[in-house]
Amino acid sequence: MEKVIIKLETLSCPSCMQKIENAVKGVDGVEKESVKVLFNSSKVKTAFDQNKTSGEAIEKVIEDLGYPVIKKTVKFA
Amino acid sequence: MQKTIVSNKKAITLVSGILILSGFFSRFVLRNMTVFEWALIAASFIGVAPIAVQAYQALKVKVVSIDVLVTIAVTGAFLIRNFEESAIVTFLFLLGHYLEQRTLNKTRSAIKELTEMAPESALVQTAGGSFEEVDIDEVDEGDILLVKTGAKVPVDGTVLVGSGYINEASITGESVPAPKSVDASVYAGTILENGTIQMRADRVGEDTTFGKIIELVEEAQDSKSEAERFIDRFSKYYTPVVLLLSLVVLLISQNLELAITILVLGCPGALVIGVPVSNVAGIGNGARNGVLLKGSEVIHDLSRVDTIVFDKTGTLTAGSPTVAETEIYVSDHQMVLNYLSSVELESDHPLAQAIVAEIKDAHHYRVEDTEVVRGGGVISTVDGHRIAVGNVSLMDREDVLLDEQVLRDVRQFEKNGNSLVLTAVDGQVALLMGIRDKVRRGVKDSLEELKQLGVKNLVVLSGDNQGTVDSVAGELGLTEAHGHMLPEDKSAYIRKIQEAGQIVAFVGDGVNDSPSLALADIGIAMGNGTDVAIETSDVVLMNSDFSHLPHAIGLTKATSNNMIQNIMIAVGVVLVLLTSVFFSDWMNMSIGMLVHEASILVVIFNGMRLLNYQSQKREKTANTVSLYPD
C-alpha cells in the first residue's frame, strides 16, 4: 500500500468534492475507504495498491476532471 | 480544450459580462434589437461553455451537480429563444462562482497563515561535509541539518552542535525564546532567534509536531457533524430530485419556461456551503488564538456545555506553593528569619523551598545536629540555639507552649487554606508561616466569564486535601470542590453527572486522567501542544493560558449560532423562491439566480464575521497570545 497526498488549486464548490471523490474511487487499485477530499484545505488523500495503479494515474484522473494539481506527495504506508 | 475553457473561467465571465452590457446598450440607447439579440446569444454560448464542461465531467462520474441543472436550464431557455435569460443566468452563475472563490479564500485565510509558517527548505550536510539547500520534502530522518540565526527549524530533531535561543510560539504559544543547547529537542516551524545549530532530523514532514498540528486543523475543518452529514446526503439526492421535479412539471404543464425556472430556483446553493463556511471560519479563529478545535462535532458539544470539571487544583493555581501569611511573635525579626532560612536551606521539601524563596536577604548560619521528625518537621542547632521548625504536633512534642494568640492565628491560617510552619527558638514559639498555592492571575476573571457564557457548574476534582481545595474553590467562586480524589473517583464523578443529563467538559493536562478526558463529552487538554495532548483530546489549548478557555467556549457558541443562521438563510431562500414561482408573476430564472448567488455570498460573509470573534476580556485588554509571533 502506498499513500498519496495531492494538493489542488482552491476548491470552491462542495459538489466538486463529490466529483473528485467519485472519480478517485473509480480508479482500480484505490482503497475506497481511504479516499478523503478535504474541501477547505483543497487536498485529496488516499491509499492505493502500487501494483495496480500509481500516484500519477490518480493525479491524471483529477486533472482530467478539470482540477489542476499543484503538488503530489507519495509515501509508503 | 476542456481544460482551457475551465481555466479561463475568469476571462469568460468578463467577456460574457461585457457582451451583455453592450447588448443592453444597443437595445435601450441605440434601439437596435438585432445587435441586442446577437450579443446575448454570444454571451450565452461563451458563458455556458465552462459550465457545460463541468456538468459533463460530473455526469461522467455519476454526479448530478448544480452545473448539470444550470446547463439544462440554459439550453432550455435557448430553445425557447429567451436569450436574455440564458445569457444573464450563465453570467450570474459564473460571477457568483468567482466571488464565492474570492470570499472563501478569506474565510480560509487563518488556516492558510498557519500552513504558510511551515518551513520550505533546509540546509542538509552532503557526503563532502558541506551544507546544501534542498527542498523540505527531500530531508530524510537521520540527516544532519544546519540552522542559521533567523531561520526556521525545518524538521523535528535533536541539537548536535551549537546553541541558541528558539522562539517556539508556533508550537507552545509561548513567545519567550527558549534556550537550546546540545541534546535539546527542537521543533519544526520554530524560529532560531540567535545562535547557530547543527541538528539531526528525527521526524520529518507530516510526522513533526507542527505537521500534526496542521493536519489536525485541516482535518478538523472538513470533519462533519451529524447535521452536516445529513445535509450532504440530502444534497446528493436533492439535485436529482429537482431535475425530476422539473421534468414532472414539464410533462404536466407543457410549459418549458416554468420547468427550467424550477431547475434554477431549486439549486441548493447556500445550503451546501453555509455550514462548512461557519465551520472553517470558527476553527480558523481558534487556530489563530491558540485554541485547536477538532471538528464541528466538538463545536456543537462545547457550545452546549453545562459543567466544566478541572482535573486538579494545579490547573487553577500557580502550581508552586508560596508563603502567603507570616506572624512573628518575638521582637528580633531578622534573627528568627535567619535561623529559619538556615534550617530550611538544608531541605528540599517544597514548603522549605517556598520559605527559602520568601526570605531573600537572610544571613545563613552553620546548621548542626539536624534531626528529621517524620510527619512533624525538623530540629537543629543553629548558632547555639535549639531551633524547631514544623507543624503543631512537632511543637507539642517539643513542649512548646502555644498561647491564645498563636492558637487563634493557627486556626485563621488553616481556614485560609494554608499549610502551617511554626518555628520555635529554645522552646519558645517565635514565628508562624502560612504557605499555600496561589491562584493563577486572571483565572478568576476567566471563570467569571465562563459563568456569563452560560456554564452552570464549575467543579474542581483534586487529589489535595479538602481544606486546600475548599479555599481555592471559595476564592474563585467554584460551584463544587472535591478533595482526596483518585483518577477512578474522578471518572466515576463524571459518569454520575453525565447520567444526570449534563454535558461535561473535562480540563486536564492530557497526560494524567486520560479516562476522564475520554469519558467527558469534551476533553480539553491544557498544555504545551505535546503529541499526547493533541491526540487524546477534543480541544487543545495551546500554552497554559487560562483565558483561552472562555475564548473557546464563546467561540463555539458563536460558531454554532452562525451555522444555524446560515441554514435558516439557505432554507428560507429556497422556500421563498419556490413558492413565489407558483404564486407570483415577477419570478424568473435571472432573478432566481441572482437571489441564489446573493444568498451564497450572504452566508459566506456571515461566516467571515467569526474570524473577528474575540471574547470579552480579550477585547478589553487586547492582549491575545497568538499562535503567531507578531
Side-chain angles (χ1 to χ4, degrees):
Chain A
M1 270 298 158
E2 278 184 9
K3 234 179 107 179
V4 66
I5 299 168
I6 296 172
K7 174 110 186 77
L8 305 174
E9 264 180 26
T10 315
L11 294 177
S12 61
C13 58
S15 71
C16 313
M17 292 172 66
Q18 226 180 55
K19 279 197 257 176
I20 296 171
E21 198 179 316
N22 280 7
V24 174
K25 279 183 180 169
V27 178
D28 187 36
V30 164
E31 190 171 336
K32 289 191 175 54
E33 292 303 303
S34 71
V35 177
K36 258 195 231 167
V37 182
L38 300 178
F39 176 55
N40 288 301
S41 43
S42 307
K43 276 183 188 171
V44 182
K45 296 183 181 179
T46 183
F48 62 90
D49 183 347
Q50 65 269 33
N51 299 320
K52 289 188 180 163
T53 185
S54 65
E56 284 73 28
I58 297 169
E59 180 180 349
K60 189 173 177 307
V61 167
I62 298 172
E63 290 222 306
D64 285 349
L65 275 180
Y67 301 101
V69 170
I70 295 175
K71 198 174 138 189
K72 176 188 74 193
T73 323
V74 181
K75 286 201 296 201
F76 288 99
Chain B
M1 174 68 183
Q2 288 181 11
K3 230 181 256 176
T4 19
I5 292 176
V6 175
S7 57
N8 287 318
K9 232 155 120 181
K10 235 189 274 180
I12 289 173
T13 313
L14 189 68
V15 171
S16 138
I18 292 171
L19 280 171
I20 293 172
L21 273 182
S22 45
F24 277 95
F25 181 77
S26 67
R27 176 178 168 181
F28 292 108
V29 182
L30 308 176
R31 308 269 165 205
N32 185 336
M33 282 308 278
T34 325
V35 173
F36 170 68
E37 265 197 5
W38 281 107
L40 290 186
I41 289 170
S44 308
F45 260 110
I46 294 172
V48 84
I51 308 173
V53 167
Q54 280 172 340
Y56 166 68
Q57 286 160 346
L59 285 174
K60 234 176 28 183
V61 291
K62 304 185 197 77
V63 175
V64 180
S65 65
I66 304 179
D67 311 296
V68 176
L69 298 189
V70 173
T71 308
I72 297 175
V74 169
T75 316
F78 207 77
L79 288 179
I80 54 173
R81 302 185 60 78
N82 191 339
F83 305 125
E84 197 177 320
E85 296 252 11
S86 62
I88 292 176
V89 165
T90 51
F91 171 69
L92 286 176
F93 187 72
L94 289 173
L95 180 68
H97 203 263
Y98 169 71
L99 293 175
E100 239 171 278
Q101 196 153 1
R102 285 290 300 271
T103 48
L104 262 180
N105 280 340
K106 274 265 164 54
T107 64
R108 292 169 177 164
S109 61
I111 285 144
K112 207 156 163 239
E113 283 168 34
L114 183 66
T115 55
E116 277 168 1
M117 283 171 66
E120 281 165 1
S121 64
L123 292 165
V124 177
Q125 192 169 38
T126 58
S130 62
F131 287 92
E132 195 181 72
E133 183 159 350
V134 301
D135 191 83
I136 192 73
D137 289 334
E138 286 166 36
V139 177
D140 286 319
E141 285 167 24
D143 281 353
I144 310 294
L145 312 175
L146 176 69
V147 187
K148 293 182 180 166
T149 305
K152 276 178 195 155
V153 175
V155 296
D156 284 7
T158 313
V159 178
L160 296 177
V161 182
S163 64
Y165 281 84
I166 292 188
N167 184 330
E168 296 193 315
S170 62
I171 301 287
T172 64
E174 194 71 67
S175 56
V176 179
K180 298 275 177 176
S181 54
V182 175
D183 282 341
S185 298
V186 290
Y187 300 98
T190 59
I191 297 164
L192 183 63
E193 295 208 329
N194 68 41
T196 303
I197 57 169
Q198 284 183 29
M199 58 177 283
R200 184 185 64 232
D202 294 335
R203 288 181 298 181
V204 301
E206 286 168 359
D207 296 328
T208 62
T209 303
F210 187 68
K212 279 184 187 157
I213 292 177
I214 290 182
E215 198 176 355
L216 168 83
V217 175
E218 282 183 352
E219 302 224 341
Q221 296 177 85
D222 277 295
S223 76
K224 296 198 165 131
S225 63
E226 201 45 51
E228 277 180 276
R229 278 194 290 271
F230 173 76
I231 291 176
D232 268 11
R233 276 199 300 275
F234 173 76
S235 54
K236 208 177 206 165
Y237 298 105
Y238 180 78
T239 29
V241 167
V242 170
L243 192 57
L244 264 177
L245 177 75
S246 84
L247 264 178
V248 171
V249 169
L250 177 66
L251 289 177
I252 294 172
S253 68
Q254 297 291 319
N255 182 343
L256 185 61
E257 174 111 44
L258 180 64
I260 57 176
T261 307
I262 287 174
L263 272 186
V264 169
L265 299 187
C267 282
L271 192 57
V272 200
I273 204 133
V275 175
V277 156
S278 310
N279 206 15
V280 70
I283 289 173
N285 174 308
R288 216 183 233 169
N289 288 294
V291 177
L292 301 185
L293 300 164
K294 288 199 191 168
S296 57
E297 197 72 51
V298 174
I299 292 178
H300 178 72
D301 289 342
L302 193 54
S303 68
R304 291 160 54 233
V305 69
D306 299 307
T307 301
I308 299 181
V309 177
F310 299 98
D311 68 330
K312 55 177 186 281
T313 32
T315 305
L316 305 169
T317 57
S320 56
T322 49
V323 176
E325 293 171 278
T326 307
E327 283 294 339
I328 301 180
Y329 306 106
V330 292
S331 49
D332 194 344
H333 285 195
Q334 194 55 50
M335 187 56 75
V336 64
L337 289 174
N338 287 346
Y339 292 160
L340 174 61
S341 184
S342 305
V343 173
E344 295 293 43
L345 198 60
E346 309 260 294
S347 167
D348 53 4
H349 192 278
L351 293 183
Q353 288 174 346
I355 290 172
V356 172
E358 174 74 12
I359 310 170
K360 287 184 196 75
D361 46 1
H363 173 78
H364 289 136
Y365 295 93
R366 223 161 77 87
V367 177
E368 290 158 311
D369 311 327
T370 300
E371 181 199 343
V372 175
V373 179
R374 196 175 279 269
V378 55
I379 301 160
S380 300
T381 305
V382 180
D383 194 26
H385 298 284
R386 184 175 171 83
I387 308 294
V389 178
N391 56 17
V392 175
S393 69
L394 183 82
M395 296 300 128
D396 283 348
R397 212 189 92 132
E398 285 285 293
D399 287 328
V400 175
L401 178 75
L402 301 179
D403 64 20
E404 222 13 74
Q405 193 204 342
V406 177
L407 287 174
R408 207 171 46 236
D409 289 339
V410 164
R411 278 194 298 274
Q412 184 59 44
F413 277 29
E414 266 183 336
K415 206 175 140 222
N416 294 348
N418 292 305
S419 303
L420 301 182
V421 175
L422 285 145
T423 306
V425 180
D426 296 328
Q428 294 291 316
V429 63
L431 172 146
L432 169 64
M433 268 185 179
I435 296 171
R436 64 170 185 254
D437 204 356
K438 279 191 187 145
V439 165
R440 275 204 237 176
R441 274 177 55 195
V443 166
K444 200 170 174 169
D445 292 341
S446 295
L447 292 178
E448 196 48 49
E449 209 181 328
L450 289 177
K451 284 187 193 159
Q452 282 169 19
L453 285 166
V455 180
K456 295 186 204 83
N457 308 306
L458 296 167
V459 182
V460 64
L461 304 179
S462 170
D464 289 347
N465 67 59
Q466 191 66 40
T468 312
V469 177
D470 280 342
S471 85
V472 171
E475 189 174 347
L476 291 174
L478 300 179
T479 43
E480 270 182 67
H482 300 282
H484 304 297
M485 295 285 257
L486 297 171
E488 57 263 36
D489 299 330
K490 295 182 188 176
S491 45
Y493 178 86
I494 289 174
R495 194 171 292 121
K496 194 183 87 200
I497 55 175
Q498 276 179 326
E499 276 163 12
Q502 299 188 17
I503 297 171
V504 183
F506 186 83
V507 183
D509 58 15
V511 182
N512 309 313
D513 293 319
S514 44
S516 300
L517 268 182
L519 188 64
D521 299 280
I522 310 109
I524 303 177
M526 254 183 108
N528 290 323
T530 56
D531 290 357
V532 190
I534 290 175
E535 273 156 32
T536 53
S537 56
D538 302 311
V539 179
V540 182
L541 303 180
M542 308 290 283
N543 197 357
S544 304
D545 188 341
F546 207 83
S547 70
H548 286 160
L549 191 58
H551 183 80
I553 310 263
L555 178 64
T556 55
K557 278 187 193 291
T559 308
S560 200
N561 285 338
N562 201 280
M563 284 182 193
I564 294 169
Q565 291 157 9
N566 278 355
I567 292 175
M568 282 169 62
I569 293 170
V571 173
V573 163
V574 173
L575 285 182
V576 168
L577 287 180
L578 284 181
T579 42
S580 53
V581 75
F582 290 111
F583 301 108
S584 78
D585 46 10
W586 49 266
M587 181 54 67
N588 64 31
M589 265 167 78
S590 303
I591 294 177
M593 185 54 89
L594 184 69
V595 173
H596 259 308
E597 294 300 338
S599 72
I600 290 176
L601 290 180
V602 167
V603 297
I604 293 179
F605 282 124
N606 189 37
M608 265 161 71
R609 291 190 305 129
L610 286 172
L611 287 176
N612 298 322
Y613 171 84
Q614 288 286 302
S615 64
Q616 303 165 4
K617 187 170 148 249
R618 287 178 186 224
E619 229 163 39
K620 263 183 255 159
T621 56
N623 174 22
T624 56
V625 180
S626 85
L627 266 180
Y628 318 105
D630 291 317

